[in-house]
Amino acid sequence: MLDLKFIRENPDTVKKGLAAKHSQVDIDQLLAHDVRRREILGEVEVLKAERNKASKMIGELKKSGADASEQMKATGEIGDKLDEKDKEFKVVDNDIHEIVIRIPNLPH
């Protein structure tokens, strides 16, 4: 199985090798899924940072005796978004895997 990084960095080489083996794997679709997968990972990291910041704020508000219900609600919404992104990530990652396993080794 070819490494996704190699495919990403050498799409023309992979396409030529697939053509030589008469393989019908859509490398452009694979690369589009890879871009989306990496976008989702970036979005997840931003959401996790927001959740951590909100959690810290909730702790500080509770220590001071202030009402933290709004921040807790916002943290729950962030958690819901993270769940959605996780589901989307799994779908895209599965699509990538299904394409990659159909790619034969390239000829020398």
Side-chain angles (χ1 to χ4, degrees), residues 18-60:
L18 292 175
K21 285 201 159 191
H22 305 287
S23 181
Q24 299 293 326
V25 179
D26 189 353
I27 298 301
D28 293 327
Q29 182 184 20
L30 173 65
L31 294 174
H33 284 309
D34 181 51
V35 167
R36 182 63 192 140
R37 179 180 176 271
R38 295 188 313 154
E39 287 173 354
I40 293 169
L41 286 174
E43 293 168 7
V44 165
E45 291 301 316
V46 169
L47 288 170
K48 284 182 179 180
E50 288 177 17
R51 182 181 61 187
N52 292 343
K53 184 178 176 182
S55 294
K56 186 175 179 181
M57 181 186 285
I58 290 169
E60 291 173 1

Side-chain angles (χ1 to χ4, degrees), residues 66 75 86 97 101 108:
T75 303
D86 186 47
H97 179 73
I101 62 172
H108 290 285

Side-chain angles (χ1 to χ4, degrees), residues 5-16:
K5 182 179 178 185
F6 176 80
I7 297 169
R8 186 183 316 126
E9 293 173 353
N10 304 291
D12 292 332
T13 303
V14 173
K15 288 177 184 178
K16 287 177 187 176

Side-chain angles (χ1 to χ4, degrees), residues 44-105:
V44 165
E45 291 301 316
V46 169
L47 288 170
K48 284 182 179 180
E50 288 177 17
R51 182 181 61 187
N52 292 343
K53 184 178 176 182
S55 294
K56 186 175 179 181
M57 181 186 285
I58 290 169
E60 291 173 1
L61 288 172
K62 285 187 176 184
K63 280 183 185 177
S64 68
D67 181 30
S69 60
E70 259 187 61
Q71 285 76 17
M72 290 173 71
K73 182 181 176 187
T75 303
E77 291 172 359
I78 292 171
D80 293 342
K81 289 178 186 177
L82 280 169
D83 290 341
E84 290 174 22
K85 293 296 176 187
D86 186 47
K87 289 176 186 174
E88 186 178 355
F89 178 83
K90 286 178 182 177
V91 169
V92 171
D93 198 46
N94 187 50
D95 291 345
I96 289 171
H97 179 73
E98 291 297 319
I99 295 171
V100 169
I101 62 172
R102 294 183 297 137
I103 298 174
N105 288 328

